[in-house]
Amino acid sequence: MTEYSQYRPLPVGEVPHWDFETDVAVIGFGATGACAAIEAAQAGARVMLFERSSGSGGASALSGGEIYVGGGTDAQKAAGFDDTVEAFTKYLKLAGGPCADEAKCEIYGREALNHYQWLKDQGVPYRGNFLPGKHIEPTDDSTLIWSGSEAAAPFCHEAKPAPRGHVIQHMGWGGGRPLVDILEARARALGTEIHIDARAVALIVDGTRVCGAVVRIDNQDRFVRADKGVVLATGGFVFNDAMRAKYCPDTFKVNSPIGDKDDGVGIELGVSVGGDAIHMDQFFTTCPWTMPESHAYGVFVNVHGQRFINEDCYHGRVSRCALDQPGGKVYLLLDVANFVQPLDLAGITIAGTGETWEEVEAELEMPQGTLSATMAFYNEHARDGRDPLFDKQLPILKPLDQSPFIALELNFETSYFSFFTLGGLKTTTDGEVLDRSGKAIAGLFAAGRCTSGLPAWGHGYSSGLSLADCTFFGRRAGRKAALA
Amino acid sequence: MTEYSQYRPLPVGEVPHWDFETDVAVIGFGATGACAAIEAAQAGARVMLFERSSGSGGASALSGGEIYVGGGTDAQKAAGFDDTVEAFTKYLKLAGGPCADEAKCEIYGREALNHYQWLKDQGVPYRGNFLPGKHIEPTDDSTLIWSGSEAAAPFCHEAKPAPRGHVIQHMGWGGGRPLVDILEARARALGTEIHIDARAVALIVDGTRVCGAVVRIDNQDRFVRADKGVVLATGGFVFNDAMRAKYCPDTFKVNSPIGDKDDGVGIELGVSVGGDAIHMDQFFTTCPWTMPESHAYGVFVNVHGQRFINEDCYHGRVSRCALDQPGGKVYLLLDVANFVQPLDLAGITIAGTGETWEEVEAELEMPQGTLSATMAFYNEHARDGRDPLFDKQLPILKPLDQSPFIALELNFETSYFSFFTLGGLKTTTDGEVLDRSGKAIAGLFAAGRCTSGLPAWGHGYSSGLSLADCTFFGRRAGRKAALA
């Protein structure tokens, strides 16, 4: 029996027969794949979608259903935020840091309001209101939350801040599942033929053009002809230890991957036909240290008792910077006015307490004059409303001076540091997969976390960036494939 | 005219004629290529070597000619160091950090003494003596220097320290050139046919087997048949801005690439036939802050006035960690007992001075109680011979308390931070280029900086690791190709 491989495309001449024939074959049924299918179908293409699991979902369905949108949405306006395309685009570029794809930031900056309307048109409900404060996901059914580092330095000095995390109306956490359900229903209504338990194992090529895929269904290899193109929408590689070791070994510091069979197969399929995988060392990580919300007022120190970040940044940025610190752990310092027992699920433990910061320092076995000096300096300036070192902003900036004091330990190994990968195929803003010389590979498209997109840089991640990227560029990839 | 491409191999059936026929074709004439040619020739193969420049050299000739060797060399023993294979191998793994290739560390750990003898057998002279102190390269013709972080924490606690930087006997800096000259002479003596001004533009494949290369000479495409294999020895990608942007964007923080036309072509050629490029985000950097040597006694702080590393580590490790700090610069603090005017070439400037550390702090416009508190804490403990924060070791650890005090600025943009890339093709210990599934690609071998090898991790780099990797694995690649 022929062994097909994600590492080597099958020449069309060796295809024994066609089991399926379509215009556009979409691989993967998270939000990216669903959006690609919708647009491809609406552009008049016959669309088949192949998903290795037994239903839709992917990492999207495990998310909060939050999409990063700015430039002046109804919810932003209703809450009194005067966001602009310029500020929004600028923030997208800052969030991409040294890995930013300027063209993707610019087109999404310009088109996000239309994309938000499109989401509504698909049936995604938004209550339209703003929920103030620091939230990982809304605990009620609110629409708009702060979901990044917009109001924190250095971002706030370069791009006028506004909240941009737009969340599907859904009571409590987990809005990703209903979001995917709505997109799935829409894809089905438009005639997408969906095959579940169907795992892509190889691409099929006619010369250098991708013209189909080999898909494994019921332990049989099935040959899919895709006359217009294949759209890869398979997610990242967080569940592929070999790929992590080769491209992103820092992820082994932490232990809670987020994803659903995200084994990097789309990246491998893309590279097998000459695709270029970029920024493969980048990853998102977070530990839910802002829950309860009062912990957002805490101060982080590393094992040397030094601060390392303005703690008003997005929880994920703080967590990613934490992971850069030595010693395998960091401490979140709180006073009794802000301390609440941490969530069990977070694996955040109490490492030390004291009537003074000196006592906490001693309990943590830090040298005298380290943590205590850090906190004396911090409190002195916080009382004046200033953070001369890290430029933490009011109102998150406030002194921690009501004893007793508490040091919580965020341990990279034992606390809940969730993570997923951000590196992947290099694509155009139309989802065309680029080869290493920068040319589009005919017949091959990709979007979402098997590509490097809006959430390109782990240190700049903001909630909703990945789903924004998945849905917006998923749509564009599907449409471009249909019109190929 | 057909355009040949480093991104796409040429099927053998499309080769119009053969211009050159050999057993082993080596691409690149730095130390790696020379060593590959020597071993291939000694194994009985006909060898041709193609170099795009007008002579041998590459980045190797720009180096100090220093090779990292341990396990108990003559020079180590003569100087009273009792190094072992175990300690040496352990250090190699620590130096590779999360990117370490354990198999390469182990085989080099076991074989380094033989490799050192082999270098001598080729005619590389070693005076045999040890030059104590902190040196980037010996200023005289000494053989052995400390060239890494062996004696610094955490390395010294896990692997018994010994100096392992073995430098060719050569007066002053720049031993890389005579080292390459010796290896070149040896390769020529063994009958290697050398073609200069010959740039490899594509590989030639017979099915999945590499069987030659297209080489551009005098503006003509020449077709090289290599019956046993091609050895890539082309160096890294420090002069390829597009590759840096896609895989290693942090290198844009600094401005002084080291190399000789290192444009990543070998990596692209390897990937064009299915090779796997790994750890592409890793790079070496250093700023020569330990010159004059008394500056090794300085203390580094970032723009927050915080220390960030035990400064007794290798200058490159300190420099790489410096680059992780915010604000685009770091400061090297010195007292008058240790200060000497920095080298012009380093671009290190005096940013502040003072009779007290408080005055220096004020001159640097740092908030009161930051740098001065750091130095008060440091000096207090240094007087007791301890560095409770970063575990800096004696004798480098000493108080800086003789005023006046000086803060030197190492600016990432304007100081001389040299750098080169460390990521590249994944290879076996025999230099076979592996595909993404982990299988060796028939007929293709690689070594040196177009591969990921012993110097895999920028934060763990030690001088001599790259030339050790180039020469040792270059030899193995050449030999394996010849026996293919």
Side-chain angles (χ1 to χ4, degrees):
Chain A
M1 200 182 91
T2 311
E3 274 289 328
Y4 300 101
S5 166
Q6 63 192 284
Y7 305 111
R8 197 165 307 115
L10 177 67
V12 68
E14 297 175 26
V15 172
H17 59 269
W18 294 115
D19 294 290
F20 300 104
E21 300 192 26
T22 187
D23 292 326
V24 175
V26 178
I27 315 291
F29 203 1
T32 305
C35 288
I38 292 168
E39 285 284 355
Q42 284 201 312
R46 296 171 299 161
V47 183
M48 287 188 192
L49 194 155
F50 300 89
E51 162 61 41
R52 68 181 288 175
S53 291
S54 301
S56 70
S60 308
L62 303 173
S63 78
E66 183 176 344
I67 297 184
Y68 201 85
V69 186
T73 66
D74 51 2
Q76 289 180 316
K77 286 179 181 160
F81 292 100
D82 182 28
D83 198 12
T84 64
V85 166
E86 291 65 35
F88 171 49
T89 305
K90 179 70 182 175
Y91 183 82
L92 292 173
K93 291 181 184 179
L94 293 170
C99 309
D101 184 322
E102 302 258 319
K104 287 183 182 174
C105 293
E106 282 168 16
I107 196 167
Y108 187 62
R110 284 196 307 274
E111 294 292 329
L113 290 178
N114 293 332
H115 182 55
Y116 179 53
Q117 184 58 50
W118 180 88
L119 289 163
K120 292 180 182 176
D121 293 345
Q122 306 315 300
V124 180
Y126 291 101
R127 185 175 143 197
N129 70 310
F130 171 57
L131 181 68
K134 279 260 188 191
H135 303 281
I136 295 179
E137 299 180 22
T139 45
D140 62 8
D141 64 348
S142 293
T143 286
L144 181 63
I145 60 172
W146 289 99
S147 71
S149 302
E150 300 86 358
F155 306 92
C156 64
H157 302 308
E158 300 193 44
K160 187 179 173 189
R164 301 192 185 102
H166 285 72
V167 189
I168 182 172
Q169 181 167 11
H170 170 77
M171 189 54 71
W173 283 42
R177 181 70 258 174
L179 175 69
V180 175
D181 288 342
I182 289 164
L183 296 170
E184 172 175 357
R186 190 76 183 123
R188 287 185 185 274
L190 288 165
T192 302
E193 187 178 315
I194 292 165
H195 299 270
I196 58 168
D197 300 315
R199 182 167 63 87
V201 292
L203 291 175
I204 299 170
V205 287
D206 185 355
T208 58
R209 190 176 161 281
V210 174
C211 64
V214 184
V215 175
R216 193 119 182 116
I217 300 176
D218 288 339
N219 217 25
Q220 302 276 334
D221 292 312
R222 301 294 185 182
F223 301 90
V224 182
R225 200 177 86 189
D227 289 337
K228 290 173 179 290
V230 172
V231 180
L232 302 170
T234 55
F237 58 96
V238 76
F239 284 113
N240 185 321
D241 282 0
M243 288 181 77
R244 285 170 60 199
K246 290 190 292 185
Y247 314 119
C248 197
D250 280 341
T251 55
F252 288 103
K253 289 183 184 173
V254 290
N255 287 308
S256 303
I258 304 180
D260 176 21
K261 306 190 179 70
D262 297 70
D263 65 355
V265 65
I267 297 172
E268 295 293 9
L269 291 170
V271 172
S272 77
V273 294
D276 194 359
I278 67 173
H279 303 315
M280 291 287 281
D281 56 306
Q282 293 298 320
F283 65 100
F284 159 85
T285 190
T286 203
C287 181
W289 62 274
T290 55
M291 297 182 62
E293 198 187 338
S294 64
H295 288 191
Y297 293 94
V299 165
F300 272 98
V301 293
N302 61 22
V303 295
H304 300 130
Q306 295 177 330
R307 288 177 70 208
F308 53 87
I309 186 78
N310 43 331
E311 298 86 354
D312 54 340
C313 286
Y314 172 64
H315 56 84
R317 175 169 163 81
V318 173
S319 299
R320 183 65 191 80
C321 290
L323 224 59
D324 291 331
Q325 304 303 309
K329 59 190 170 188
V330 295
Y331 298 105
L332 175 60
L333 307 180
L334 292 161
D335 66 0
V336 72
N338 293 290
F339 173 76
V340 180
Q341 187 66 32
L343 296 184
D344 271 356
L345 77 85
I348 293 174
T349 55
I350 297 176
T353 57
E355 290 303 314
T356 63
W357 285 116
E358 284 75 9
E359 285 181 28
V360 174
E361 176 180 87
E363 275 209 17
L364 299 182
E365 299 182 342
M366 286 184 186
Q368 202 180 330
T370 52
L371 181 149
S372 62
T374 296
M375 288 311 297
F377 184 93
Y378 176 83
N379 280 335
E380 175 194 339
H381 293 285
R383 280 182 209 107
D384 297 335
R386 297 192 321 117
D387 174 14
L389 286 188
F390 291 93
D391 203 13
K392 188 171 171 175
Q393 306 288 308
L394 295 167
I396 298 286
L397 174 68
K398 61 181 192 184
L400 298 177
D401 50 11
Q402 296 184 46
S403 71
F405 302 114
I406 302 97
L408 298 178
E409 178 175 323
L410 279 69
N411 186 294
F412 307 159
E413 269 188 55
T414 55
S415 299
Y416 180 76
F417 276 85
S418 59
F419 68 101
F420 55 83
T421 61
L422 300 177
L425 297 168
K426 184 166 169 64
T427 53
T428 66
T429 55
D430 283 323
E432 299 156 295
V433 176
L434 294 172
D435 70 16
R436 297 175 71 89
S437 74
K439 285 206 273 295
I441 296 168
L444 189 65
F445 307 86
R449 291 290 60 72
C450 65
T451 71
S452 178
L454 294 176
W457 184 47
H459 291 77
Y461 193 86
S462 302
S463 274
L465 274 186
S466 187
L467 268 185
D469 185 77
C470 291
T471 54
F472 182 73
F473 291 105
R475 287 176 60 201
R476 293 182 68 88
R479 183 171 174 78
K480 186 74 178 179
L483 300 178
Chain B
M1 198 182 90
T2 310
E3 273 290 325
Y4 300 101
S5 166
Q6 63 193 285
Y7 306 111
R8 197 165 308 115
L10 177 67
V12 68
E14 297 176 25
V15 173
H17 59 269
W18 294 114
D19 294 290
F20 301 103
E21 300 193 26
T22 187
D23 292 327
V24 175
V26 178
I27 314 292
F29 202 1
T32 305
C35 288
I38 293 168
E39 285 284 355
Q42 284 202 312
R46 294 172 299 159
V47 183
M48 287 189 192
L49 194 154
F50 300 89
E51 162 62 40
R52 67 181 289 175
S53 291
S54 301
S56 70
S60 306
L62 304 173
S63 78
E66 183 176 344
I67 298 185
Y68 200 86
V69 186
T73 65
D74 49 4
Q76 289 180 316
K77 285 179 182 161
F81 292 100
D82 183 27
D83 197 13
T84 64
V85 166
E86 291 66 35
F88 171 49
T89 305
K90 178 71 182 176
Y91 183 81
L92 292 174
K93 292 181 184 179
L94 293 170
C99 309
D101 184 321
E102 302 258 319
K104 287 183 181 172
C105 294
E106 284 168 14
I107 195 167
Y108 188 63
R110 285 195 308 273
E111 294 293 330
L113 290 178
N114 292 332
H115 182 56
Y116 179 54
Q117 184 57 52
W118 180 89
L119 289 163
K120 292 179 183 176
D121 293 345
Q122 306 316 300
V124 181
Y126 291 101
R127 184 174 146 200
N129 69 310
F130 170 57
L131 180 69
K134 279 259 187 191
H135 303 281
I136 294 179
E137 299 180 23
T139 46
D140 63 7
D141 65 346
S142 293
T143 286
L144 182 61
I145 60 171
W146 289 100
S147 70
S149 302
E150 302 85 358
F155 307 92
C156 64
H157 302 308
E158 301 192 45
K160 186 179 173 188
R164 301 192 185 102
H166 286 71
V167 189
I168 182 172
Q169 181 168 9
H170 170 79
M171 190 55 69
W173 283 42
R177 181 70 258 176
L179 175 68
V180 175
D181 288 341
I182 290 164
L183 296 171
E184 171 176 357
R186 190 76 181 124
R188 286 185 186 274
L190 288 164
T192 301
E193 188 178 313
I194 291 165
H195 298 271
I196 58 169
D197 300 314
R199 182 167 63 88
V201 292
L203 291 175
I204 300 171
V205 287
D206 184 356
T208 58
R209 191 175 161 282
V210 174
C211 65
V214 184
V215 176
R216 192 116 184 119
I217 300 176
D218 288 339
N219 217 25
Q220 301 277 334
D221 292 312
R222 302 293 184 181
F223 301 91
V224 181
R225 200 177 86 189
D227 289 337
K228 290 174 178 291
V230 172
V231 180
L232 302 170
T234 55
F237 58 97
V238 78
F239 285 114
N240 186 320
D241 282 0
M243 289 181 76
R244 285 170 61 200
K246 292 191 291 187
Y247 314 120
C248 196
D250 280 341
T251 55
F252 288 103
K253 289 183 185 173
V254 290
N255 288 308
S256 304
I258 304 180
D260 175 21
K261 306 190 178 69
D262 298 70
D263 64 356
V265 66
I267 297 172
E268 296 293 10
L269 291 170
V271 172
S272 78
V273 294
D276 194 359
I278 67 172
H279 304 314
M280 291 287 281
D281 56 307
Q282 292 298 319
F283 65 99
F284 159 84
T285 191
T286 203
C287 181
W289 62 272
T290 55
M291 296 184 64
E293 198 186 338
S294 63
H295 288 190
Y297 292 94
V299 165
F300 272 98
V301 293
N302 60 24
V303 294
H304 301 129
Q306 296 177 330
R307 287 178 70 208
F308 54 87
I309 186 76
N310 44 330
E311 298 86 353
D312 55 340
C313 286
Y314 172 65
H315 55 84
R317 176 171 163 80
V318 174
S319 299
R320 183 64 190 82
C321 290
L323 225 58
D324 292 332
Q325 304 303 309
K329 59 190 170 186
V330 296
Y331 298 106
L332 175 60
L333 307 180
L334 292 161
D335 65 359
V336 72
N338 293 290
F339 172 76
V340 180
Q341 187 66 33
L343 295 186
D344 271 356
L345 77 85
I348 293 174
T349 55
I350 297 176
T353 57
E355 290 303 313
T356 62
W357 286 116
E358 284 75 9
E359 285 180 28
V360 175
E361 177 180 87
E363 276 209 16
L364 299 182
E365 298 182 345
M366 287 185 185
Q368 202 180 332
T370 52
L371 180 150
S372 61
T374 296
M375 288 312 297
F377 184 93
Y378 176 83
N379 280 334
E380 175 195 340
H381 293 284
R383 280 182 210 109
D384 297 336
R386 297 192 320 117
D387 173 14
L389 287 190
F390 291 93
D391 203 13
K392 189 171 173 175
Q393 307 288 305
L394 296 166
I396 299 285
L397 174 68
K398 61 180 191 185
L400 298 178
D401 51 12
Q402 295 183 47
S403 68
F405 301 114
I406 302 96
L408 298 177
E409 178 176 325
L410 279 69
N411 186 294
F412 306 160
E413 270 188 57
T414 55
S415 299
Y416 180 75
F417 276 86
S418 59
F419 68 101
F420 56 82
T421 61
L422 300 177
L425 296 168
K426 184 167 168 64
T427 53
T428 66
T429 56
D430 284 323
E432 299 156 295
V433 176
L434 294 172
D435 70 16
R436 298 176 70 90
S437 74
K439 284 205 273 298
I441 296 167
L444 189 65
F445 306 85
R449 291 290 59 72
C450 66
T451 71
S452 177
L454 294 176
W457 184 47
H459 292 78
Y461 194 86
S462 304
S463 275
L465 273 187
S466 188
L467 268 186
D469 185 77
C470 291
T471 53
F472 182 74
F473 291 105
R475 289 177 59 201
R476 294 181 68 88
R479 184 171 174 80
K480 186 72 178 180
L483 301 177

